[in-house]
Every structure is written in structure tokens, then in C-alpha cells.
Amino acid sequence: MTITNFTLHRDSFGRLNLTDAAGTLYENVAPVRAFPIQAPEEGLSLVNTDGKEIAWLDHLSDLPSEQADMVREDLAGREFMPVIQTIQSVTSYATPCTWKVKTDRGDTEFVLRGEEDIRRIGSVSLLVSDTHGINFLIRDQFNLDKHSKKILDRFL
């Protein structure tokens, strides 16, 4: 059974806890996105330590802002998917090659093994995987600057 009426709070250890309308406490719950790339603010499940769903949120905005911020903070601590803002350079147009990029988390370099490591997600988004298994997101390939688009087009 999924709980629909609840409150979220942090305990003294900083863990996210859920209390339902009947007063039942669920300790150390974790938010999980159903659609982390296409709809990151929609469809979130709150699961217990065994991975069982305790509560479901259609929209993160359904929560009071303080509780929504706690969920976002918890997700940010567990998820790592830098968003590529600019492709500054590549060492070669043949793979493997090193990409130098600017992301929402700073400048970095990574090695692209092959063109198959660039996957389409929907009509505008791309997921780029490096040799270490880190995924980089390009939210909208058509909104990149001209230089970045030119580089990316060589790999698509």
C-alpha cells in the first residue's frame, strides 16, 4: 500500500524520515526518480531501506517547499550526472578520444570509447558515457553553442 498523506523530516543523523497520517514513522527513506532525465521533478517514489515503496509523489511541487528541498538535497547527494554545457575540444574525431567539456559542475575531461557511448534520450537529449562509466547529460543538443554542435555532429 502506498501512502499519500505524509510529512518528511530529518532525524538527528540527517536521515530522511517519513511520518504518515496515522503517526507511523518510516526511518531512512530514500527518494527515487521514475524519470530522472525526461521529467526529474515528476514521478518520485519514497522507498525504505529494503527498496519497498512507501509513498509516491506525482510532482515534487506537491510537497511544501521545505520538504521538497529536503528531497532535492537527498537526490543531489546520491545522483551524479553532470550536464554538458559546452564541448570545448576533442583530441580526435576518431574514437577513442578525449573530450574537454564545461559542465554544470565545472570543467573536465573524459575519454569517449566509441560513438555507441553517445545515446539518444528522447528527441533532443543525449547521454554520453565515459570510460569510467560516468554519464554526462546533454539536455538539448540543439541549444548548444555553434562550436559544440559542430563537434557533436561529427560523432552522431
Side-chain angles (χ1 to χ4, degrees):
M1 182 173 110
T2 301
I3 300 167
T4 56
N5 189 10
F6 59 87
T7 57
L8 295 170
H9 58 280
R10 292 214 182 271
D11 65 14
S12 59
F13 299 106
R15 296 179 303 200
L16 194 60
N17 295 326
L18 181 146
T19 304
D20 66 15
T24 305
L25 174 66
Y26 297 88
E27 294 182 312
N28 201 18
V29 298
V32 177
R33 298 182 204 263
F35 309 103
I37 296 170
Q38 297 298 88
E41 297 280 311
E42 300 174 20
L44 286 101
S45 181
L46 296 169
V47 299
N48 65 13
T49 54
D50 295 327
K52 182 181 176 197
E53 183 176 284
I54 303 298
W56 174 261
L57 291 167
D58 288 328
H59 301 278
L60 194 53
S61 61
D62 293 342
L63 288 175
S65 63
E66 183 180 307
Q67 292 181 39
D69 289 344
M70 282 191 278
V71 170
R72 284 187 190 98
E73 182 181 301
D74 218 53
L75 287 165
R78 294 185 310 113
E79 296 177 342
F80 182 74
M81 188 179 305
V83 176
I84 294 175
Q85 298 169 331
T86 304
I87 304 170
Q88 297 168 334
S89 64
V90 293
T91 56
S92 169
Y93 290 111
T95 54
C97 62
T98 302
W99 287 33
K100 185 175 180 181
V101 298
K102 178 181 176 188
T103 74
D104 62 335
R105 298 180 184 233
D107 292 351
T108 192
E109 294 182 5
F110 63 87
V111 175
L112 180 74
R113 282 183 301 234
E115 289 87 359
E116 65 276 2
D117 290 328
I118 302 174
R119 296 184 299 277
R120 292 188 185 278
I121 302 172
S123 60
V124 297
S125 300
L126 299 170
L127 198 61
V128 182
S129 300
D130 76 356
T131 54
H132 300 292
I134 296 174
N135 291 313
F136 293 83
L137 178 64
I138 298 176
R139 285 208 191 278
D140 188 342
Q141 64 181 331
F142 303 111
N143 280 340
L144 291 173
D145 63 276
K146 186 177 180 180
H147 177 72
S148 298
K149 285 183 198 176
K150 184 177 179 182
I151 292 173
L152 187 59
D153 285 345
R154 291 287 204 68
F155 291 93
L156 296 178

